[in-house]
Amino acid sequence: MKFFISSARWFAGLIMAVFIIACLPVITRAVETDPPKVTVSKLLASPDKYNLSSIIISGEVIGQPLLRSNGAWFHLLDDERTAIGIWADKSTVESLKYFGRYGIKGDRVILQGIFYNAHPDHGGDTCIELETILGHEPGYEESKEPVAQEKWFIAVLLGMICLILWAIDRKINKKDHD
Amino acid sequence: MMKKILWEDWKTIFHYTGVILYFFGFTLLVPVLLGTILREFHVVVDFLIGFFLFVFIGLALRMLFRARKDAIWLHGLCITALTWLLATLILAIPYSMGGFFGSYLDSCFDAMSGLTATGLTLIQRLDHAPLSLNVWRHVLSFIGGQGIIVIALVFLPPLGLGYKALVGEGKEDRLIPSIRETGKAIWVISLIYLGIGTLLFMGAGMVAGLSPLWSLFHGACMFMSSWSTGGFVPQTLSTLYYHHTLYDSVCMLVLILGSMNFGLHFLIWYKNKKELFRDVEIRTFLITIFIFSILLAIGLLQNNLFSEPLAMFRKGFFVFLSAHTSTGQATIYTTHLFNHWGDLALIVIMIAMFLGGSSGSTAGGFKIIRLAIIAKGFQHEIRRFFFPQQAVLVEKIHHIGDQVIIDKIVKSALIIMMLFIVMQIMGTVAGILNGYALVPSLFESISSSSNAGLSSGITRPDMPNNLKVVYIFNMWLGRLEFTAVFVFIIFVFRSFFKGK
């Protein structure tokens, strides 16, 4: 009986060990494929922690693309409204449709990339080298609100007052000269 | 006996201030025209209102207060101080109507920063700001760098005011005997550089990968910002946006040119190119660049930063030069500078901001020529001991011609240095009283009073309002180098309490 209980324990232990060993690649892969989600402020606050490691960041694509022979730059404005340069291959950058500026909401992307505190190939730039785009929501042209009627009214009114003042001033000056 | 302040004095000051504001208002037609072309009608209306306000206030002051006598020194200095203040207050109105600033005070802050070519900013959503507003902020910096009075002198009929107001604006070197021609020369030099510089930046922008039209937009903005040592940039990422050695290099070249004395530019262009190497200010500038660059490199290497020479040049040297020319552009995140560059590099940047660029240029700060004068005065004091007591020693420096260093000049330089230090201490105390740490407070205070524009992170839209007012005052005082503002404050004080 004692032998039986002891064997059962051994057997249970063996099954658990096999299970853990079998799960290990899955667990490690989950850790590997889940780089930390960060913001630019977080990266700048702890550059040594994130330097050369893979991170996930999201935000709006802004400005203009800078197309180079061996790749391209675009800029990401994160959710805390701090921007960072992203180095990517040309085709990826060309696939981005809207770059945010006045009247345009840029494409929203979630991307994974390597953070460089000072990139050796880019003159020490603090930037992210793109690995992959995990999510992409196209931007759009924002509808422009018409200028408020009151503003036009104030402008016209002030313009007319200035015109009258200018005419009086001219008259006074002419009188002074005479 | 001190001069009594009469109502006639106020009338003269108001009259000329009105004249200058009236003409200055026409510069607001730049964003109006650009906004019309780009169909940015919100900006068009806001700046049209701004333009009319300048014209209205200018004409009203001119008409209501007729100057019956020629302006004297006192008037000139007061006119300068008052014009800069009123221009800021009026400029802030179209700014605050646009929705890109949190409050009217934030708009005043940005207007004063632009006008004094400082570069600290409280604008929100800069990356989504209308192009015409963005360009205008750089144009304002360009105009402010040369000086409001300088622009007025070019376009106005002779006022009987010229040189007295120019001195208040820190442009006391007469390039040509006629003060009006001097104003013209300053603008001709600036506009020629504007053309060449924009093309250079445009070329560099295209090499960096921007399309030709965007290169032109960025080029014009970056030139105006760099030449005026202003520090505004079209994008929040500052010069880090461009990621290119050539772009950074062009920028550094323009920063150096912009921080050089206009008188020297004039001499090199029209008279003698060798003046460049003879001028004591340029020599001192080269010496300070050499010494502080080495110290900066040591500081950065101690912190294992930028070990590659190219990175050291593009990051370390660029930021140092930007501080030394009181520009404020950066190829790094300034929080990075503050948190990771280490104490030695940080102190080098602060000293560089304090020193600033050349006198009679667009640069701010204590000015290199004063450093040279104080050094020469110190040398004189030491040399005296090696000569017989009866010997008369004459110290000379070469700065737009030979100049004899007399005690009065050394004393004046020392007073200005002392005033700068006092102002910076007061700004630091204001920062500490608002709960900020000593070093960031000191950094921000030096930056605002030297019109440098680098930030330790304090300057943000959510900073306390009283600190915004302190920095606005610092920028105004620093740009006009104390005299005009102090004279104006005492003038107001004496008018109400003593002078009548």
Side-chain angles (χ1 to χ4, degrees):
Chain A
M1 188 68 180
K2 207 175 173 183
F3 170 77
F4 180 72
I5 292 169
S6 165
S7 303
R9 273 187 190 152
W10 272 106
F11 187 66
L14 192 71
I15 288 174
M16 274 174 73
V18 169
F19 180 73
I20 289 169
I21 291 166
C23 287
L24 212 59
V26 180
I27 295 166
T28 49
R29 203 187 310 154
V31 172
E32 275 169 12
T33 52
D34 263 350
K37 283 179 186 162
V38 294
T39 58
V40 179
S41 313
K42 223 171 172 182
L43 291 173
L44 297 178
S46 321
D48 296 333
K49 181 180 166 189
Y50 295 108
N51 193 26
L52 305 177
S53 60
S54 188
I55 49 98
I56 291 176
I57 192 166
S58 60
E60 182 192 349
V61 176
I62 52 155
Q64 299 82 36
L66 285 95
L67 303 171
R68 307 270 167 85
S69 55
N70 55 343
W73 287 101
F74 69 95
H75 298 92
L76 190 82
L77 189 67
D78 76 0
D79 299 330
E80 291 174 350
R81 309 203 72 78
T82 311
I84 192 162
I86 314 284
W87 175 250
D89 59 82
K90 241 178 176 174
S91 58
T92 310
V93 177
E94 279 165 348
S95 72
L96 298 168
K97 197 172 174 197
Y98 287 97
F99 288 77
R101 57 184 167 94
Y102 179 63
I104 290 178
K105 185 83 182 164
D107 289 2
R108 190 178 161 72
V109 292
I110 302 169
L111 59 86
Q112 186 179 320
I114 310 279
F115 172 68
Y116 286 88
N117 188 27
H119 201 304
D121 299 338
H122 296 296
D125 280 359
T126 302
C127 61
I128 293 169
E129 205 169 289
L130 182 74
E131 288 180 316
T132 177
I133 290 185
L134 302 170
H136 183 194
E137 192 184 308
Y140 52 89
E141 282 186 34
E142 293 170 319
S143 57
K144 285 179 186 166
E145 283 178 28
V147 182
Q149 294 284 326
E150 294 84 4
K151 276 192 185 178
W152 280 116
F153 177 73
I154 294 169
V156 172
L157 189 72
L158 269 173
M160 282 162 66
I161 294 170
C162 287
L163 206 66
I164 295 166
L165 273 182
W166 179 76
I168 297 170
D169 184 62
R170 240 178 101 97
K171 212 168 181 182
I172 294 171
N173 274 340
K174 210 173 171 189
K175 212 173 168 185
D176 282 355
H177 281 294
D178 293 341
Chain B
M1 199 177 135
M2 277 177 94
K3 181 190 176 327
K4 269 195 172 181
I5 309 295
L6 304 170
W7 179 233
E8 284 293 311
D9 295 311
W10 272 108
K11 287 205 295 196
T12 306
I13 290 166
F14 281 144
H15 176 82
Y16 285 126
T17 303
V19 173
I20 295 164
L21 286 177
Y22 170 71
F23 279 94
F24 178 74
F26 282 86
T27 59
L28 268 76
L29 292 177
V30 173
V32 171
L33 287 174
L34 200 60
T36 310
I37 294 165
L38 298 169
R39 302 181 66 79
E40 295 172 344
F41 294 115
H42 286 273
V43 180
V44 173
V45 179
D46 294 346
F47 279 87
L48 208 54
I49 291 173
F51 163 67
F52 286 136
L53 278 173
F54 267 104
V55 173
F56 173 71
I57 294 170
L59 279 176
L61 288 175
R62 191 166 96 166
M63 285 164 62
L64 289 173
F65 306 101
R66 310 295 290 180
R68 294 290 171 214
K69 55 182 179 182
D70 271 348
I72 57 171
W73 279 96
L74 177 69
H75 299 145
L77 294 172
C78 289
I79 289 161
T80 306
L82 186 61
T83 305
W84 281 71
L85 188 63
L86 286 180
T88 298
L89 296 176
I90 304 170
L91 272 171
I93 293 171
Y95 276 21
S96 57
M97 286 193 295
F100 286 88
F101 296 92
S103 64
Y104 177 70
L105 186 62
D106 289 11
S107 307
C108 285
F109 188 98
D110 208 79
M112 184 60 96
S113 179
L115 211 49
T116 56
T118 303
L120 289 169
T121 182
L122 294 178
I123 194 168
Q124 298 172 13
R125 297 180 290 120
L126 173 64
D127 298 301
H128 288 88
L131 290 184
S132 45
L133 173 68
N134 216 339
V135 171
W136 162 250
R137 291 172 73 242
H138 294 84
V139 172
L140 181 66
S141 209
F142 187 63
I143 293 169
Q146 328 304 316
I148 301 177
I149 309 293
V150 175
I151 192 172
L153 284 176
V154 179
F155 299 105
L156 286 177
L159 293 174
L161 159 74
Y163 189 62
K164 295 143 197 151
L166 262 190
V167 171
E169 227 174 33
K171 293 273 192 305
E172 59 265 44
D173 295 321
R174 278 178 191 249
L175 313 185
I176 305 165
S178 153
I179 202 67
R180 199 168 177 208
E181 292 302 315
T182 297
K184 268 188 190 167
I186 289 174
W187 273 96
V188 167
I189 291 169
S190 292
L191 290 174
I192 291 172
Y193 272 119
L194 173 65
I196 298 169
T198 302
L199 284 177
L200 264 177
F201 267 114
M202 192 182 161
M206 285 167 71
V207 173
L210 285 166
S211 66
L213 264 180
W214 282 115
S215 301
L216 177 64
F217 161 72
H218 282 276
C221 288
M222 285 301 289
F223 175 80
M224 287 188 277
S225 169
S226 310
W227 170 256
S228 65
T229 62
F232 282 161
V233 271
Q235 306 279 154
T236 47
L237 263 179
S238 193
T239 319
L240 178 58
Y241 182 82
Y242 304 101
H243 309 281
H244 206 283
T245 310
L246 180 65
Y247 212 92
D248 295 348
S249 308
V250 170
C251 206
M252 284 190 256
L253 174 72
V254 179
L255 293 185
I256 293 171
L257 290 173
S259 72
M260 273 168 56
N261 189 304
F262 275 102
L264 192 61
H265 276 293
F266 183 80
L267 283 179
I268 295 166
W269 275 45
Y270 294 105
K271 291 185 179 167
N272 187 359
K273 289 189 174 40
K274 285 180 186 160
E275 281 294 322
L276 181 64
F277 305 104
R278 291 184 65 201
D279 193 275
V280 71
E281 204 167 21
I282 294 295
R283 286 181 176 187
T284 314
F285 190 38
L286 291 175
I287 291 168
T288 53
I289 285 180
F290 180 71
I291 294 170
F292 287 123
S293 296
I294 290 172
L295 286 175
L296 181 85
I298 293 169
L300 290 173
L301 291 173
Q302 273 176 353
N303 284 278
N304 300 319
L305 279 168
F306 312 131
S307 48
E308 301 274 325
L310 183 65
M312 181 65 80
F313 174 70
R314 283 185 56 194
K315 306 292 163 186
F317 188 65
F318 185 100
V319 174
F320 164 70
L321 205 58
S322 173
H324 204 345
T325 55
S326 79
T327 305
Q329 293 171 359
T331 46
I332 55 156
Y333 291 92
T334 44
T335 47
H336 199 250
L337 153 83
F338 220 77
N339 298 329
H340 306 286
W341 274 32
D343 292 340
L344 183 59
L346 193 61
I347 205 151
V348 166
I349 297 295
M350 286 203 270
I351 294 171
M353 284 198 296
F354 174 79
L355 290 177
S358 299
S359 62
S361 72
T362 62
F366 167 64
K367 304 282 160 59
I368 301 162
I369 186 69
R370 295 199 179 100
L371 179 70
I373 288 168
I374 293 171
K376 205 75 179 171
F378 180 69
Q379 182 191 330
H380 177 80
E381 288 301 307
I382 298 295
R383 273 182 69 196
R384 260 182 345 121
F385 295 107
F386 294 90
F387 285 85
Q389 220 166 5
Q390 297 83 0
V392 179
L393 290 178
V394 178
E395 295 287 351
K396 277 184 182 176
I397 56 168
H398 187 84
H399 174 60
I400 325 276
D402 282 330
Q403 292 180 22
V404 177
I405 296 292
I406 53 172
D407 285 351
K408 199 181 148 192
I409 296 175
V410 180
K411 196 176 111 190
S412 160
L414 282 167
I415 288 172
I416 296 284
M417 183 168 82
M418 199 189 70
L419 287 171
F420 259 108
I421 292 170
V422 169
M423 178 169 61
Q424 282 155 2
I425 290 172
M426 284 168 71
T428 308
V429 171
I432 293 168
L433 284 174
N434 278 286
Y436 294 100
L438 170 69
V439 181
S441 301
L442 177 65
F443 189 94
E444 212 76 353
S445 183
I446 295 176
S447 180
S448 58
S449 54
S450 298
N451 306 118
L454 289 170
S455 175
S456 62
I458 291 179
T459 299
R460 294 158 50 101
D462 57 0
M463 74 198 245
N465 281 342
N466 67 74
L467 208 51
K468 289 176 190 170
V469 174
V470 169
Y471 292 155
I472 289 174
F473 189 69
N474 272 4
M475 290 189 270
W476 182 43
L477 211 62
R479 173 64 179 85
L480 299 183
E481 294 187 344
F482 307 101
T483 316
V485 178
F486 281 164
V487 166
F488 177 64
I489 292 169
I490 293 165
F491 178 84
V492 173
F493 179 79
R494 282 178 57 81
S495 301
F496 291 106
F497 299 106
K498 277 185 169 180
K500 296 254 167 112

